[in-house]
Amino acid sequence: MSTLELNPQQEAAVNHVEGPLLVLAGAGSGKTRVVTYRIAKLLDMGVLPSDILAVTFTNKAAAEMRNRIRILKNAQVLASTFHSLGSRILRESIGALGYKTDFAIYDEEDSEKLLKNCLEQLQLGGDKKVAKEMRQQISTAKNNLESPDGVVDKSLGLVYGAYQTALKECNALDFDDLLYLTVKLLQEHETVRQEYQNRWLFILIDEYQDTNFAQYSLTKLLVEKHQNLFAVGDPDQSIYSWRGARYQNILNFERDFPGAKTIVLDQNYRSTNNILQASNALIEHNPDRYEKKLWSAGSEGEKITVFIGQNERQEAEFVALRILKMAADRSIPLDDIAIFYRTNAQSRAFEDALLSRRINYSIIGGLSFYARREIKDILSYLRLVISNTDLISFLRTINLPKRGLGPAALDKLAEAAAQKKLPIFTLCEELASDPNFVHGLKLSAKQHSGLTNYVRLIHRLRDARPSLKIHELIAELIAESNYLDFLKEDPETMQDRKENIDELMGKAAEWEEEREHPTLQLFLEELTLRSTAEEKTDLPSIKLMTLHNSKGLEFSLVFLVGLEEDLCPHINSKDNPESIEEERRLCYVGMTRARKYLYLTASIYRFMWGTFRPMRPSRFLKEIPVRFLQNSSPTSPMIQEESTSDPEGFSEGEKVYHHQFGAGTIQKAYHSSFGLTYDVYFDDSDTTRTLAAKFAKLKSL
């Protein structure tokens, strides 16, 4: 096998034979090539394919690795995910734990149903929301290798124990058991452990920074005898702590495996040097990391463009127009352009801007904004505020939240409506006032109460409609329908869905501002036409995705948008230094996806939490040295200069402006060399919000 394609560091990693080795593979440094060439090298040395195990995190990555080995050496090597590996071991040896080898693997829905039964048997109720929350807690415990007796919360331990017993009685495992029971099996049964330690003499782990405690423990058990572990990863790209990933596993590698060698792959084959140096400067603000600096033998490239718009619409308009210009001037295919955002809700403004210019786009890892369940739910409610005849909207909303009207009851209502030749909602209005309106139609007390409450809700919204703006009507609908309680039934998605509803209110407020005679009917018509225009095509398209979904991808042109405090970094990380570090790594991952051109954008105002709010540019923008940036921001027409002096605490070229905003004040600091205007908002309840440490002095002005 020729190693002419490898640089010296890659070649050193490939030629390493025995003992533990950590390969710190920076973004775009060719780690997949190193892993596959390492396997090929072992095969050239006479190692049997059956003696080699490669483990990664996705089926796609495992399949790609197997395919590359087939091309290189025409050999079959076991490359699998951690969970597939656990399943393979348990199928062979789970009998030692008292299970049969033909066990079933329950999906999330099956697991929650079984847990719900356990809760009922323990007389703890069978609430779906409680079952889902308890299931998540048990999942966390298993990934931390905590047994039912080992969890701190004794009530959780009781339910957890009953759930595990029920699984075993069904000869079933849940997804987490594929790791939890595999580790338990190897820890408790020495002969089984030795069998697998002798089976795989060389083990390679990709994306080692993403391992959780169970995966880390399984790795240590399997390599304990021969210590031939080849771990590849990058702590600077560890962005999955919410899945249980522990980036400390890679930082502690040399402690866990005495005598381990470390090789750093810092030559990048993807991005320009300007992008790499800016990314290096950002990530250096994280103290807990391995020191490395990515570099490229390629060109310096263009500076990173920064744009700060007045609002999210202006931000999105800028991105859409710049896409058209860059695609035309630089001949960049649409498939090679991406927009990254921190939360799914942010896609709305960019979808609108792209649709209005007939630019094809596709959402990676999610649904288009107007196709999301919660958006369709709210729009269906609004359609019923306008019309009694919308059957589809009625069927979608009648049980949001549940009102006891199941399929059988709805069939009866539909038949009665057809007999009476009435729209189904009109029939419900009659039944709400007179349960005997339809002879022979029997509704239970619960069903009649639910139907009556539903009709009253629609009537209250109709009465409120003339005096409310559309975004206010949506807020009223959310409150009156208790829709947020319905969303809470799925705690894992509740935050994202609430953010999407907030974004819909923002869209409504923005839409009303732009029209002389806005009406609810016109608003709904426009959104219907917009969602119809989103139908998928096979044509080249811009890729829209969250920063988390961007990992492992690369594009010639990248827009990293919404770089504001409370968005990126996310508000949930606000008071946690470790979380801020992960948010910084997330931004770093997004930046290093760009090959040639990178844009960083933000807004001065954004509709959040039911109102337009002044935003502060992200601290991450301030952490990138000015020499790597170029400004493309418009001059803000709302800024009123009151002082051109340089107050104490500000460097030369910085000026302070003041502008009244409601009951508070926005004080603006302008840095002439950076070309950006920063906001700091003060009111009676918040007198210390700052954009950076220096700006704290603003409060004394």
Side-chain angles (χ1 to χ4, degrees):
M1 181 193 69
S2 172
T3 58
L4 294 176
E5 299 175 343
L6 303 176
N7 65 40
Q9 289 76 26
Q10 291 174 330
E11 191 170 353
V14 166
N15 289 330
H16 175 83
V17 182
E18 293 187 322
L21 176 69
L22 173 62
V23 179
L24 286 174
S29 62
K31 72 177 179 66
T32 304
R33 173 179 292 179
V34 168
V35 172
T36 52
Y37 273 52
R38 153 76 170 174
I39 294 173
K41 177 72 174 181
L42 291 174
L43 295 172
D44 283 346
M45 293 170 58
V47 177
L48 296 175
S50 58
D51 289 340
I52 301 171
L53 168 65
V55 186
T56 187
F57 278 82
T58 67
N59 289 315
K60 180 181 178 182
E64 181 182 355
M65 195 177 295
R66 288 193 296 269
N67 186 52
R68 289 197 183 197
I69 295 301
R70 274 197 298 269
I71 293 172
L72 278 174
K73 303 305 296 181
N74 192 28
Q76 295 281 352
V77 169
L78 177 57
S80 77
T81 65
F82 273 102
H83 288 89
S84 295
L85 175 63
S87 177
R88 174 184 290 262
I89 292 172
L90 293 173
R91 287 291 180 197
E92 295 176 352
S93 307
I94 199 171
L97 294 177
Y99 291 77
K100 297 178 182 177
T101 56
D102 61 347
F103 57 81
I105 300 174
Y106 280 0
D107 62 18
E108 199 67 26
E109 184 179 355
D110 295 332
S111 299
E112 285 178 16
K113 285 180 180 177
L114 185 63
L115 186 55
K116 189 168 177 285
N117 289 339
C118 293
L119 289 168
E120 290 172 349
Q121 290 173 9
L122 293 169
Q123 297 184 333
L124 296 174
D127 184 85
K128 182 179 179 182
K129 177 186 172 185
V130 174
K132 196 171 190 70
E133 290 176 349
M134 197 72 77
R135 172 73 188 89
Q136 185 57 48
Q137 292 177 48
I138 292 172
S139 174
T140 300
K142 288 184 177 182
N143 284 324
N144 290 332
L145 300 181
E146 295 174 353
S147 66
D149 295 334
V151 295
V152 175
D153 186 338
K154 297 306 175 187
S155 60
L156 172 63
L158 177 67
V159 177
Y160 179 7
Y163 171 67
Q164 281 304 101
T165 299
L167 279 169
K168 193 168 186 178
E169 288 173 352
C170 297
N171 196 42
L173 313 184
D174 65 19
F175 194 64
D176 300 306
D177 281 330
L178 298 177
L179 297 177
Y180 173 68
L181 290 182
T182 302
V183 173
K184 180 180 173 70
L185 173 69
L186 298 182
Q187 286 176 336
E188 296 179 357
H189 298 274
E190 184 178 356
T191 55
V192 177
R193 181 170 68 251
Q194 289 179 351
E195 177 184 349
Y196 291 103
Q197 288 175 347
N198 290 328
R199 178 179 300 187
W200 296 304
L201 306 183
F202 294 90
I203 296 179
L204 302 91
I205 308 290
D206 194 13
E207 304 287 7
Y208 192 73
Q209 79 280 350
D210 291 334
T211 53
N212 62 26
F213 186 61
Q215 292 159 340
Y216 159 81
S217 300
L218 176 57
T219 301
K220 286 202 73 179
L221 286 164
L222 290 174
V223 305
E224 187 177 48
K225 182 175 181 180
H226 296 286
Q227 294 289 299
N228 292 327
L229 174 61
F230 187 93
V232 184
D234 181 7
D236 289 340
Q237 297 186 72
S238 180
I239 58 174
Y240 298 118
S241 65
W242 48 280
R243 292 181 185 170
R246 299 187 180 191
Y247 73 96
Q248 294 86 351
N249 291 344
I250 195 168
L251 295 179
N252 295 333
F253 188 87
E254 292 170 336
R255 182 203 68 186
D256 292 333
F257 302 97
K261 294 181 179 179
T262 300
I263 294 175
V264 179
L265 305 184
D266 54 6
Q267 183 175 356
N268 177 282
Y269 294 91
R270 175 188 300 152
S271 306
T272 64
N273 269 303
N274 199 71
I275 291 172
L276 295 177
Q277 291 178 61
S279 303
N280 288 334
L282 172 69
I283 202 63
E284 283 173 1
H285 285 80
N286 276 4
D288 201 10
R289 58 185 292 268
Y290 276 107
E291 180 63 30
K292 71 175 185 306
K293 289 184 181 291
L294 296 180
W295 62 278
S296 170
S299 67
E300 286 301 301
E302 290 190 7
K303 289 187 176 183
I304 298 168
T305 301
V306 177
F307 175 87
I308 296 188
Q310 285 293 302
N311 50 46
E312 62 256 57
R313 184 189 175 193
Q314 191 178 67
E315 178 189 22
E317 293 288 324
F318 169 80
V319 170
L321 289 171
R322 191 52 58 103
I323 284 172
L324 290 173
K325 180 174 175 57
M326 294 290 283
D329 294 353
R330 310 294 173 91
S331 300
I332 304 174
L334 293 186
D335 282 334
D336 206 13
I337 303 173
I339 301 172
F340 301 154
Y341 35 76
R342 178 62 180 84
T343 67
N344 279 305
Q346 292 170 255
S347 76
R348 193 275 305 169
F350 298 95
E351 291 186 64
D352 285 354
L354 295 171
L355 280 167
S356 68
R357 287 168 178 77
R358 300 182 181 276
I359 303 173
N360 292 324
Y361 70 88
S362 55
I363 306 286
I364 305 300
L367 290 171
S368 172
F369 182 81
Y370 297 109
R372 292 168 193 166
R373 185 185 74 186
E374 59 280 6
I375 301 304
K376 297 183 78 169
D377 289 346
I378 300 305
L379 295 181
S380 292
Y381 262 123
L382 293 176
R383 290 189 184 99
L384 279 170
V385 171
I386 292 175
S387 170
N388 276 21
T389 59
D390 192 331
L391 173 63
I392 300 303
S393 293
F394 170 83
L395 294 174
R396 186 177 188 94
T397 58
I398 184 63
N399 280 308
L400 293 176
K402 290 183 178 178
R403 298 183 174 91
L405 294 158
L410 292 176
D411 286 345
K412 291 178 183 178
L413 290 174
E415 290 175 11
Q419 290 173 3
K420 292 282 189 178
K421 296 183 179 179
L422 293 173
I424 195 167
F425 186 77
T426 304
L427 178 80
C428 291
E429 290 176 310
E430 298 290 349
L431 288 171
S433 58
D434 179 9
N436 299 314
F437 178 70
V438 179
H439 179 69
L441 177 63
K442 300 296 182 183
L443 295 177
S444 68
K446 179 181 179 182
Q447 289 172 330
H448 186 262
S449 174
L451 185 145
T452 301
N453 289 336
Y454 177 70
V455 169
R456 288 174 179 170
L457 166 64
I458 301 301
H459 284 176
R460 285 197 299 274
L461 295 172
R462 288 176 177 177
D463 292 341
R465 176 186 166 195
S467 61
L468 297 178
K469 293 184 176 180
I470 297 172
H471 75 275
E472 295 171 337
L473 183 64
I474 296 173
E476 186 79 5
L477 162 59
I478 299 299
E480 290 285 332
S481 66
N482 296 316
Y483 188 76
L484 292 185
D485 289 339
F486 167 70
L487 294 184
K488 287 176 183 175
E489 292 178 6
D490 189 350
E492 292 179 28
T493 64
M494 194 270 180
Q495 179 66 30
D496 282 347
R497 295 189 186 282
K498 185 179 182 306
E499 288 173 355
N500 287 336
I501 292 172
D502 286 341
E503 187 63 27
L504 178 63
M505 286 194 281
K507 165 66 179 178
E510 176 187 290
W511 184 87
E512 287 175 293
E513 286 288 324
E514 297 165 358
R515 280 155 183 79
E516 188 175 353
H517 301 293
T519 67
L520 178 59
Q521 187 166 5
L522 286 175
F523 177 70
L524 293 172
E525 283 179 6
E526 181 170 315
L527 295 198
T528 300
L529 292 172
R530 186 150 299 217
S531 61
T532 302
E534 290 170 358
E535 292 179 1
K536 301 251 184 251
T537 70
D538 294 329
L539 298 174
S541 60
I542 308 296
K543 303 300 182 283
L544 277 66
M545 70 193 78
T546 64
L547 281 165
H548 282 100
N549 282 322
S550 74
K551 187 151 184 299
L553 304 177
E554 59 182 72
F555 301 89
S556 284
L557 171 59
V558 166
F559 295 86
L560 207 168
V561 302
L563 280 173
E564 300 143 31
E565 292 292 306
D566 297 342
L567 266 183
C568 186
H570 195 273
I571 191 170
N572 290 347
S573 66
K574 198 168 190 174
D575 300 318
N576 187 325
E578 281 198 5
S579 296
I580 290 291
E581 287 190 28
E582 180 154 333
E583 291 289 305
R584 188 176 285 109
R585 292 195 293 269
L586 193 55
C587 185
Y588 171 82
V589 165
M591 291 175 66
T592 55
R593 303 307 96 194
R595 288 197 293 268
K596 294 182 179 179
Y597 311 106
L598 176 60
Y599 284 73
L600 307 177
T601 72
S603 299
I604 293 176
Y605 298 100
R606 189 174 294 274
F607 194 93
M608 292 181 71
W609 309 309
T611 184
F612 284 103
R613 300 175 62 88
M615 304 299 289
R616 296 173 293 160
S618 170
R619 70 192 72 188
F620 303 151
L621 282 174
K622 289 290 290 179
E623 292 171 357
I624 301 171
V626 174
R627 64 182 180 276
F628 302 124
L629 305 174
Q630 59 186 351
N631 176 48
S632 188
S633 301
T635 301
S636 173
M638 63 168 287
I639 296 175
Q640 300 172 3
E641 184 173 344
E642 294 188 0
S643 170
T644 57
S645 62
D646 293 329
E648 182 182 356
F650 288 83
S651 63
E652 183 179 354
E654 291 183 350
K655 300 176 182 179
V656 177
Y657 303 82
H658 304 278
H659 182 74
Q660 283 300 122
F661 185 83
T665 303
I666 294 179
Q667 297 182 344
K668 305 222 173 232
Y670 175 82
H671 192 291
S672 59
S673 63
F674 196 38
L676 298 179
T677 300
Y678 297 92
D679 289 342
V680 188
Y681 180 56
F682 296 92
D683 60 23
D684 291 339
S685 62
D686 184 359
T687 58
T688 58
R689 289 181 65 182
T690 59
L691 301 176
K694 280 196 304 186
F695 291 169
K697 291 184 179 287
L698 277 174
K699 65 183 178 182
S700 64
L701 295 176

